[in-house]
Amino acid sequence: MVKTVNSILIFILCLGFGLFAQESRPRVGLVLSGGGARGFAHIGTLKLLDSLQIPVDYIAGTSMGGIAGALYSIGYSGKEIEQIARDSDWNELFSDRPLRTAVPFLQKKDDGKYQLQLGLRGITPVIPSGLIQGQKVSLMLANLISGAEGITDFEQLPISYQCVAVDLITGNEVILKKGPLAKAMRATMSIPTIFSPVEWGDSLLIDGGLLNNFPADVVKAIGADIIIGVNVGTRLSSKEELQSILSILNQTLIITDYARQRENMDLCDVLIIPDLKEFSTTDFDPSTIRAIIQRGNEAARANESILVNLKEQYNLQTTKALLADSNLVGQPLLQGLYISGGSYYSAEYFYDLLQCYPNSPLDVTKLQDRIININEAALFKSFDVEIIQVDRDKVRLRLKVESHENPVLFGISIIGNKTLPFKFIYRLLGIEPGKPFDQQLLSERIDELFALGYFERIDYEIEPVRQNFIRVNITVVEKPLRNLRIGFQYDNFYKIIGRVGVQVNNFPLAGLRAEANLEFAGRIQFDYSLAYPSRGLNLPLYPYIRFNYKEIPLNIYDMDNANKLTEYDDRSYTIAAGLGSQIGRSMILQVEFNQERISINPGISGLDPDFFPSWKDRLRKLHGSFVVDRLDDVVLPRSGLLFNAEYMNSWQQFGSDLEYQQIKINVDFYRTFYRRHTLRFSGFYTNYMGDLPIYKYAYKGGPNTFIGMKYHQILGRNYGYGRLDYRYEYKKDIFLKLIGNVGFFEAIDHWGIEQNSWLSGMGVGVQFLSLVGPFEIIISRGSKSIMRWDEYQTRFYFTAGFHI
């Protein structure tokens, strides 16, 4: 009996030692703070964890930390995330401007004229919920997590993931652990007033950094035993540093979360704080990103010995490998599987195919045989299974699947549209159920749809339906049909010019487009146009009518000494009707018949009254124009072509008081080398036949046309010139410029005598970019006058705002 009892005790003791020996390792949690551009420093820690093969079981992140954490949780390595950070144009992503190559000509023709654009409800301006709606960021995130669309429970990702947001309505912290992953990533980074809030059920979510910028308590609550934290948040400023409104405002925002941030930092076993004091949260310049990543690398390496000690102390080792290379034996419990790659089969399909199910013992040997059979049958282009050990007797499978063909589109849903019908949006998307689905094509079509200007945002989600069939769910947020636009510019001649514009789309008839634009103060010009290019702005031929009134001051100069002789207002009324044709998205051809009434009364002062009379002419003309606009940007072009050719023919047979023909050609070509160096070649040519009146001559001179001359100093009917600009990007918003131009001019003096001459000029300048447009200062030397072309004058130009 005693012998039996001793045997039992020995057995229990051995079992206890065995269980102790097999005790699971501690769970590792990773915390990544918010910090805007400073968040790129997280990459250094991710790369170090990869190189040390330290497993991560839980990730919690806020804002930029939430984005990096989500990518890491679905399988991106630290190096891959670094490549994404380096390759992405973040300044472009954090704007709502569509790529100009995708914008129809009629939508981009007014680019750069207005600093402020607001929707109108009735006559009341609609203030946006954020400076950035986040269209490009949302599409980018959707593309990056394309292998994880079917996962709506973030615990089922290869690394369990949660991110933090704040409900703007209740003021409560919201921990996102389920739902569309891309949408959760977009919500956690929604900095108030900068990014618009994200609708999440009945909530409006904004950046979680307001309440919990360093969510170590989140991974602690999940069950992390060891917490590794990276805090890149902005530190509190000293008394000496708090000397401006912006510094005080920034400090106020930090204070709300600072006490909790200190408590959460105390929860960390390893706390990594990169030295980022000279880096801003908003500086996404490529050189700055590289520097921030380097600081993150340095901070991570400084903590390498601590991480190595933890790894050795607790036997922390990444336990994931392709099943073919795994040494796992026995029958561990299967917790679930995660599918990545170019496949949209449901999890249930793979459970049946592999004949293994959640919460059931997994026979590793039989699973290996099934994988061999699947590959021999060539059911997929590639098929691998990675096994991730979750606990001592629990595993999860990650399937890396690439199908032979794209998934088939099962259906499309569109929600959020109120004024634009489903059929219109569906037709422009150009994807049809029953056909192979191309995600890249969908992104391109969404870009083109967004470029029409009807939407604040277009988001999409991909929902697996059944074996390689998916549904696309599209959510749109429409803009008001009416838009108010406000702008200004300043130069030495006109001084301040104000601009106000109103555009009405699809009212009262779908496809109708009405625009009214007014310039005032330094010069007066009013344009009204009514066109029918269709809602999609894609009719090959569309009709239009327009009305124009202008009253533009012009100077007349002495051709000898370049002294101002007099000035007059170029005043006229024009009404026109014509046809337009858009050729692709960058070209437009317009032909119209117009009638113009001239009403000009020069202030005569020593001028030939026969050459400068009071004009009361009626001109009836055929006017044609052909424009090619392939510029990547109109405010700061880096590449592309802008070409404009005009032809005017005034016939007395049509009842015109004068008969003449005139041609004008403008060309601008931009090319950027090595990112910082931009060349611009521009040219102008004009010619005429017949009785061309002086008020139709081409007036040139000034910083935007011919450098070195006064505004409108060059007055002629036959001439041409070429100009070369070199622009160097000294800093992100500061540019240095060298300018030179030369041309042959047939000009007219104040007695109506023709004078021919070569003119030249050159200048240096500096340009500053601001929220209201560029500010530019140029100092130049140029020919003094037509008669004294070999003598030079110094001209100083200052311009501000948009000059289009």
Side-chain angles (χ1 to χ4, degrees):
M1 180 67 178
V2 174
K3 187 175 181 180
T4 303
V5 172
N6 287 339
S7 299
I8 293 174
L9 288 173
I10 293 171
F11 173 79
I12 293 173
L13 187 63
C14 291
L15 180 61
F17 276 113
L19 289 174
F20 181 79
Q22 295 178 17
E23 184 179 3
S24 61
R25 64 167 176 79
R27 304 291 96 189
V28 178
L30 177 64
V31 186
L32 303 176
S33 77
R38 296 157 63 99
F40 292 115
H42 291 312
I43 293 171
T45 298
L46 300 179
K47 292 195 298 181
L48 182 60
L49 293 175
D50 287 340
S51 65
L52 295 178
Q53 294 187 314
I54 292 178
V56 175
D57 302 287
Y58 312 111
I59 295 179
T62 298
S63 197
M64 189 63 84
I67 293 175
L71 296 178
Y72 196 67
S73 72
I74 66 174
Y76 283 93
S77 68
K79 287 186 177 180
E80 289 171 333
I81 296 174
E82 179 179 18
Q83 197 63 45
I84 293 169
R86 290 176 178 272
D87 292 347
S88 300
D89 186 342
W90 294 93
N91 289 313
E92 182 65 27
L93 284 169
F94 292 151
S95 77
D96 287 326
R97 296 176 305 171
L99 291 175
R100 291 193 90 241
T101 54
V103 178
F105 188 95
L106 288 176
Q107 187 63 20
K108 66 183 175 184
K109 65 181 180 63
D110 291 329
D111 279 359
K113 288 185 179 180
Y114 302 96
Q115 281 88 350
L116 179 63
Q117 299 194 43
L118 299 171
L120 289 173
R121 288 199 178 99
I123 60 172
T124 304
V126 179
I127 306 300
S129 57
L131 295 176
I132 303 170
Q133 294 297 319
Q135 171 66 24
K136 293 181 181 178
V137 171
S138 295
L139 284 184
M140 175 196 183
L141 296 178
N143 290 333
L144 287 176
I145 60 102
S146 60
E149 288 95 346
I151 304 296
T152 57
D153 183 350
F154 304 160
E155 186 179 350
Q156 299 302 316
L157 296 172
I159 301 175
S160 179
Y161 167 77
Q162 297 183 10
C163 62
V164 180
V166 173
D167 187 350
L168 187 60
I169 298 173
T170 64
N172 295 330
E173 177 183 341
V174 178
I175 300 174
L176 300 176
K177 55 183 79 172
K178 291 185 179 181
L181 181 58
K183 191 174 181 180
M185 296 163 70
R186 168 68 176 82
T188 190
M189 61 166 285
S190 297
I191 303 171
T193 72
I194 303 298
F195 284 96
S196 62
V198 172
E199 291 188 26
W200 194 284
D202 295 330
S203 301
L204 285 177
L205 300 185
I206 57 176
D207 194 311
L210 291 178
L211 295 181
N212 196 354
N213 196 52
F214 186 68
D217 53 341
V218 174
V219 290
K220 186 72 173 179
I222 300 173
D225 302 303
I226 297 173
I227 299 179
I228 301 169
V230 188
N231 194 346
V232 299
T234 308
R235 64 178 178 84
L236 287 176
S237 300
S238 65
K239 180 179 179 180
E240 291 72 22
E241 294 171 321
L242 296 173
Q243 300 297 323
S244 68
I245 293 175
L246 289 178
S247 63
I248 293 173
L249 177 61
N250 186 58
Q251 186 92 324
T252 303
L253 295 175
I254 297 172
I255 285 175
T256 59
D257 173 60
Y258 195 69
R260 185 174 185 181
Q261 199 169 149
R262 291 290 299 269
E263 293 174 359
N264 282 346
M265 286 192 290
D266 290 339
L267 296 176
C268 295
D269 298 276
V270 182
L271 180 60
I272 300 173
I273 304 179
D275 181 9
L276 303 171
K277 56 179 176 292
E278 71 265 39
F279 296 108
S280 165
T281 60
T282 59
D283 192 351
F284 287 87
D285 184 77
S287 60
T288 303
I289 291 173
R290 289 193 294 270
I292 291 173
I293 292 173
Q294 179 58 31
R295 291 292 178 87
N297 292 339
E298 294 169 359
R301 286 196 295 269
N303 288 271
E304 183 173 359
S305 60
I306 302 175
L307 290 170
V308 170
N309 289 337
L310 279 175
K311 177 181 179 180
E312 293 175 349
Q313 180 180 354
Y314 295 107
N315 191 28
L316 301 177
Q317 180 69 35
T318 301
T319 53
K320 56 182 179 180
L322 291 179
L323 193 62
D325 303 323
S326 174
N327 296 319
L328 189 67
V329 295
Q331 294 191 359
L333 194 68
L334 178 62
Q335 279 200 329
L337 60 80
Y338 167 75
I339 308 163
S340 66
S343 173
Y344 292 93
Y345 287 82
S346 65
E348 289 72 19
Y349 169 79
F350 284 108
Y351 285 133
D352 291 336
L353 187 66
L354 296 172
Q355 296 180 25
C356 59
Y357 300 92
N359 301 316
S360 299
L362 176 66
D363 190 321
V364 177
T365 303
K366 289 183 178 179
L367 179 60
Q368 289 175 328
D369 292 338
R370 293 188 192 103
I371 294 171
I372 293 172
N373 293 336
I374 291 170
N375 284 320
E376 288 178 349
L379 297 179
F380 304 96
K381 189 174 181 180
S382 65
F383 184 83
D384 285 308
V385 177
E386 183 180 76
I387 190 161
I388 303 171
Q389 190 161 359
V390 179
D391 212 330
R392 58 188 173 89
D393 57 356
K394 296 177 182 177
V395 297
R396 184 181 297 159
L397 301 180
R398 179 184 181 187
L399 277 56
K400 299 180 178 180
V401 186
E402 185 178 359
S403 299
H404 290 293
E405 298 177 350
N406 287 346
V408 177
L409 182 61
F410 181 81
I412 302 171
S413 70
I414 300 174
I415 61 173
N417 54 312
K418 298 176 181 177
T419 60
L420 295 169
F422 172 90
K423 288 184 178 180
F424 169 73
I425 301 173
Y426 173 75
R427 177 173 56 84
L428 291 182
L429 286 174
I431 57 175
E432 300 179 21
K435 293 188 176 181
F437 170 69
D438 186 332
Q439 187 171 1
Q440 181 62 37
L441 177 62
L442 175 63
S443 295
E444 292 173 0
R445 294 290 171 80
I446 287 178
D447 282 338
E448 293 172 1
L449 186 61
F450 180 71
L452 294 177
Y454 298 145
F455 305 96
E456 290 185 352
R457 195 171 65 253
I458 306 173
D459 299 323
Y460 75 91
E461 298 170 12
I462 297 175
E463 176 189 354
V465 178
R466 52 188 174 86
Q467 297 180 13
N468 219 30
F469 278 76
I470 58 100
R471 180 190 301 276
V472 175
N473 301 316
I474 295 175
T475 303
V476 302
V477 179
E478 295 179 339
K479 289 182 177 179
L481 294 177
R482 301 173 181 85
N483 298 297
L484 172 67
R485 304 176 292 186
I486 301 172
F488 84 96
Q489 73 176 57
Y490 175 89
D491 62 39
N492 302 84
F493 182 78
Y494 294 114
K495 307 305 180 184
I496 289 286
I497 297 175
R499 291 192 180 100
V500 176
V502 175
Q503 184 184 87
V504 180
N505 295 308
N506 303 316
F507 182 84
L509 178 67
L512 200 62
R513 188 181 184 91
E515 295 184 54
N517 300 289
L518 173 66
E519 291 185 351
F520 56 93
R523 70 184 182 207
I524 297 174
Q525 188 159 237
F526 175 75
D527 293 286
Y528 176 80
S529 65
L530 188 65
Y532 186 76
S534 83
R535 279 185 301 207
L537 304 182
N538 54 7
L539 273 184
L541 198 66
Y542 65 90
Y544 70 90
I545 59 174
R546 69 179 183 90
F547 170 78
N548 170 268
Y549 170 76
K550 66 178 181 179
E551 190 174 325
I552 301 176
L554 295 171
N555 285 347
I556 303 297
Y557 296 94
D558 184 337
M559 295 183 63
D560 186 22
N561 295 309
N563 295 323
K564 177 182 173 181
L565 296 175
T566 189
E567 65 180 36
Y568 72 87
D569 288 334
D570 183 7
R571 185 186 298 112
S572 68
Y573 309 80
T574 302
I575 186 169
L579 293 174
S581 176
Q582 293 189 88
I583 306 169
R585 294 179 175 268
S586 60
M587 292 181 280
I588 192 168
L589 174 66
Q590 290 184 316
V591 179
E592 68 180 36
F593 182 78
N594 66 52
Q595 176 170 292
E596 184 177 13
R597 297 296 299 233
I598 310 298
S599 180
I600 299 175
N601 186 23
I604 303 299
S605 175
L607 302 182
D608 184 352
D610 293 329
F611 195 65
F612 286 93
S614 294
W615 292 287
K616 303 292 181 182
D617 295 333
R618 180 181 65 179
L619 304 178
R620 290 181 175 174
K621 311 185 297 294
L622 179 69
H623 179 271
S625 65
F626 176 65
V627 182
V628 179
D629 183 351
R630 290 179 175 162
L631 296 182
D632 63 336
D633 186 77
V634 292
V635 177
L636 192 74
R638 294 182 179 274
S639 65
L641 170 71
L642 179 62
F643 176 84
N644 188 349
E646 290 184 84
Y647 171 76
M648 286 156 282
N649 195 328
S650 175
W651 283 313
Q652 290 181 334
Q653 296 93 318
F654 288 167
S656 182
D657 291 341
L658 299 172
E659 185 161 327
Y660 65 88
Q661 298 179 50
Q662 186 178 24
I663 295 174
K664 292 181 181 179
I665 298 174
N666 281 281
V667 62
D668 278 277
F669 177 76
Y670 291 83
R671 180 74 180 272
T672 295
F673 302 89
Y674 305 108
R675 199 177 69 80
R676 292 181 179 269
H677 307 270
T678 301
L679 291 179
R680 171 203 178 196
F681 170 77
S682 60
F684 174 78
Y685 172 76
T686 182
N687 202 344
Y688 85 104
M689 293 178 60
D691 187 19
L692 185 71
I694 190 172
Y695 55 78
K696 290 298 180 184
Y697 286 12
Y699 291 77
K700 297 294 179 181
N704 299 314
T705 57
F706 198 87
I707 203 80
M709 309 290 283
K710 297 178 180 179
Y711 287 84
H712 310 141
Q713 185 178 343
I714 302 169
L715 170 65
R717 53 193 178 186
N718 285 333
Y719 64 83
Y721 66 81
R723 169 170 166 161
L724 183 65
D725 294 38
Y726 166 72
R727 185 181 72 216
Y728 171 70
E729 183 180 342
Y730 175 67
K731 289 187 177 179
K732 176 185 175 184
D733 296 323
I734 302 176
F735 301 85
L736 307 179
K737 300 179 75 171
L738 295 175
I739 307 165
N741 45 219
V742 63
F744 179 78
F745 297 85
E746 177 193 275
I748 307 295
D749 70 7
H750 56 278
W751 295 103
I753 300 173
E754 293 185 359
Q755 300 289 340
N756 298 327
S757 181
W758 285 91
L759 300 178
S760 62
M762 62 186 302
V764 296
V766 59
Q767 186 180 55
F768 307 88
L769 291 187
S770 72
L771 292 176
V772 296
F775 286 69
E776 188 170 50
I777 300 171
I778 297 175
I779 300 175
S780 67
R781 291 278 290 173
S783 298
K784 186 171 185 179
S785 67
I786 293 290
M787 300 293 293
R788 300 165 69 176
W789 57 270
D790 55 349
E791 298 181 26
Y792 292 91
Q793 61 182 346
T794 300
R795 302 301 306 165
F796 170 83
Y797 308 105
F798 173 71
T799 60
F802 299 145
H803 289 257
I804 305 298

